[in-house]
Amino acid sequence: MNCPYCGFHDSKVVDSRYVNDGIRRRRECLGCGSRFTTYERLQPASLFVIKKDERREEFNRDKLLSGIRKACEKRPLPTGAVEKLADDIEAELYHMGKAEIPSAVIGDMVMEGLKSLDYIAYIRFASVYREFTDISTLKQEVDTLLSAEAEAPQTTSQLSLLPDEEVAGIAKSRRSRK
Ligand SMILES: [Zn+2]
C-alpha cells in the first residue's frame, strides 16, 4: 500500500485492531512520516451470476461498473457516485452469502440504485435491461417517475445522495441569490 501523501511504497504498522469484519491498521509512512489507515477484509469465496440462458459466469465488478457508467454517461453526478453504487451493490451481493445469484437480481439492484441517483440514467439502463420494445412502455415508466417526483419534495429525491454539507451549500447559495 503506497503512502497517499508521498507515494512511498513502505510503511510500518503503529496500531491494529479488529473492527466489524476486518482489521483496521494505522500505518506510518517510512518516507514522509505521515499516518494513514488501511482496512483488511477477507475476500469472500467467488460469486457466480446465473444468466438468463442459465449459463454461469463469475461475478465481475468491472462489468457491473461499466454498465452503470454507461447509463450515467454525461450526467451531472457527484464525483464517485457511480463507483459508490457499484461498491454498494457488490457489498450487498457478497453479504447475501450465496454462491450463485441470478443476473436479474443484480439488474434490479442497479435499477433501484439509479432511480435514486438520476432518472435519466435510470431510464437509459431500464430501456436496455427491461428491453423496452415500444415507446408506450417507456412512457409508462417515465410517468411513474414523474408522479413519484410530484409526491416527494425535491431535496429528498435526486439530492439525497449528496453529502449533507453539499445540500446545505446548495440551499445557502439559493438563499443568497435572492
Ligand atoms: Zn509518505
Side-chain angles (χ1 to χ4, degrees), residues 3 5-8 29 31-34:
C3 169
Y5 303 98
C6 74
F8 194 70
C29 173
C32 71
S34 298

mmCIF file of all heavy atoms in Angstrom, residues 3 5-8 29 31-34, ligand 1:
data_model
loop_
_atom_site.group_PDB
_atom_site.id
_atom_site.type_symbol
_atom_site.label_atom_id
_atom_site.label_comp_id
_atom_site.label_asym_id
_atom_site.label_seq_id
_atom_site.Cartn_x
_atom_site.Cartn_y
_atom_site.Cartn_z
ATOM 1 N N CYS A 3 1.952 5.188 0.214
ATOM 2 C CA CYS A 3 1.543 6.330 1.041
ATOM 3 C C CYS A 3 0.660 7.269 0.212
ATOM 4 O O CYS A 3 1.020 7.639 -0.903
ATOM 5 C CB CYS A 3 2.786 7.066 1.530
ATOM 6 S SG CYS A 3 2.411 8.660 2.297
ATOM 7 N N TYR A 5 0.146 10.282 0.683
ATOM 8 C CA TYR A 5 0.687 11.647 0.674
ATOM 9 C C TYR A 5 1.885 11.786 -0.249
ATOM 10 O O TYR A 5 1.959 12.710 -1.042
ATOM 11 C CB TYR A 5 1.065 12.087 2.089
ATOM 12 C CG TYR A 5 -0.110 11.994 3.039
ATOM 13 C CD1 TYR A 5 -0.269 10.888 3.874
ATOM 14 C CD2 TYR A 5 -1.083 12.996 3.055
ATOM 15 C CE1 TYR A 5 -1.362 10.791 4.726
ATOM 16 C CE2 TYR A 5 -2.190 12.891 3.896
ATOM 17 C CZ TYR A 5 -2.321 11.794 4.732
ATOM 18 O OH TYR A 5 -3.408 11.698 5.547
ATOM 19 N N CYS A 6 2.842 10.840 -0.133
ATOM 20 C CA CYS A 6 4.057 10.971 -0.938
ATOM 21 C C CYS A 6 4.263 9.807 -1.913
ATOM 22 O O CYS A 6 5.152 9.860 -2.753
ATOM 23 C CB CYS A 6 5.278 11.113 -0.031
ATOM 24 S SG CYS A 6 5.749 9.557 0.759
ATOM 25 N N GLY A 7 3.437 8.761 -1.788
ATOM 26 C CA GLY A 7 3.539 7.650 -2.734
ATOM 27 C C GLY A 7 4.599 6.614 -2.391
ATOM 28 O O GLY A 7 4.789 5.650 -3.136
ATOM 29 N N PHE A 8 5.273 6.809 -1.251
ATOM 30 C CA PHE A 8 6.321 5.853 -0.868
ATOM 31 C C PHE A 8 5.708 4.472 -0.657
ATOM 32 O O PHE A 8 4.578 4.350 -0.177
ATOM 33 C CB PHE A 8 7.021 6.346 0.409
ATOM 34 C CG PHE A 8 8.316 5.631 0.691
ATOM 35 C CD1 PHE A 8 9.427 5.841 -0.110
ATOM 36 C CD2 PHE A 8 8.417 4.748 1.764
ATOM 37 C CE1 PHE A 8 10.629 5.176 0.149
ATOM 38 C CE2 PHE A 8 9.610 4.083 2.031
ATOM 39 C CZ PHE A 8 10.721 4.298 1.215
ATOM 40 N N CYS A 29 4.075 6.200 7.242
ATOM 41 C CA CYS A 29 4.904 6.145 6.040
ATOM 42 C C CYS A 29 6.383 6.226 6.425
ATOM 43 O O CYS A 29 6.789 7.071 7.218
ATOM 44 C CB CYS A 29 4.536 7.302 5.114
ATOM 45 S SG CYS A 29 5.623 7.445 3.692
ATOM 46 N N GLY A 31 8.626 6.981 4.384
ATOM 47 C CA GLY A 31 9.209 8.031 3.547
ATOM 48 C C GLY A 31 9.027 9.397 4.188
ATOM 49 O O GLY A 31 9.994 10.103 4.490
ATOM 50 N N CYS A 32 7.748 9.782 4.410
ATOM 51 C CA CYS A 32 7.485 11.143 4.875
ATOM 52 C C CYS A 32 6.946 11.207 6.303
ATOM 53 O O CYS A 32 6.794 12.288 6.860
ATOM 54 C CB CYS A 32 6.496 11.837 3.928
ATOM 55 S SG CYS A 32 4.811 11.207 4.047
ATOM 56 N N GLY A 33 6.656 10.053 6.890
ATOM 57 C CA GLY A 33 6.214 10.034 8.284
ATOM 58 C C GLY A 33 4.722 10.297 8.488
ATOM 59 O O GLY A 33 4.247 10.308 9.615
ATOM 60 N N SER A 34 3.982 10.497 7.379
ATOM 61 C CA SER A 34 2.543 10.719 7.505
ATOM 62 C C SER A 34 1.846 9.442 7.972
ATOM 63 O O SER A 34 2.322 8.342 7.705
ATOM 64 C CB SER A 34 1.944 11.130 6.167
ATOM 65 O OG SER A 34 2.502 12.326 5.726
HETATM 66 ZN ZN ZN B 1 4.672 9.277 2.727
#
